[in-house]
């Protein structure tokens, strides 16, 4: 939630409440625990597509403000 509040796209594992916080494909990506390949691919997606990263960061900030303001 802190990264989202800072306007950053999130790439996280499906541990704990993360799947309830991160909206898959909108505020970031949630990957299965232990799947290092999926984690690396999602990070690479955001590094390669700065516009997607910006859009997800903006959406995450709005979600954090509205849901947890």
């Amino acid at each position: 939630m802190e990264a989202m509040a800072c306007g950053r796209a999130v790439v996280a594992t499906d541990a704990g409440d993360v799947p309830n916080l991160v909206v898959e494909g909108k505020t970031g990506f949630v990957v299965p625990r232990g799947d290092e390949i999926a984690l690396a691919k999602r990070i690479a997606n955001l590094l390669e597509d700065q516009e997607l990263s910006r859009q997800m960061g903006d959406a995450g900030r709005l979600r954090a403000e509205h849901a947890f303001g």
Side-chain angles (χ1 to χ4, degrees):
M1 191 51 54
E2 290 175 16
M4 290 168 56
C6 291
R8 300 289 182 219
V10 175
V11 179
T13 63
D14 60 357
D17 286 333
V18 170
N20 297 321
L21 300 174
V22 178
V23 179
E24 175 65 29
K26 182 169 174 137
T27 63
F29 297 114
V30 179
V31 298
R33 283 173 279 176
D35 191 343
E36 295 87 6
I37 293 171
L39 183 67
K41 284 182 180 180
R42 290 306 194 181
I43 292 170
N45 289 146
L46 293 176
L47 290 172
E48 293 169 357
D49 190 341
Q50 291 183 0
E51 181 60 21
L52 176 62
S53 182
R54 186 194 61 74
Q55 290 173 357
M56 286 184 165
D58 290 347
R61 179 178 210 132
L62 288 173
R63 177 163 167 69
E65 289 173 358
H66 286 83
F68 304 99

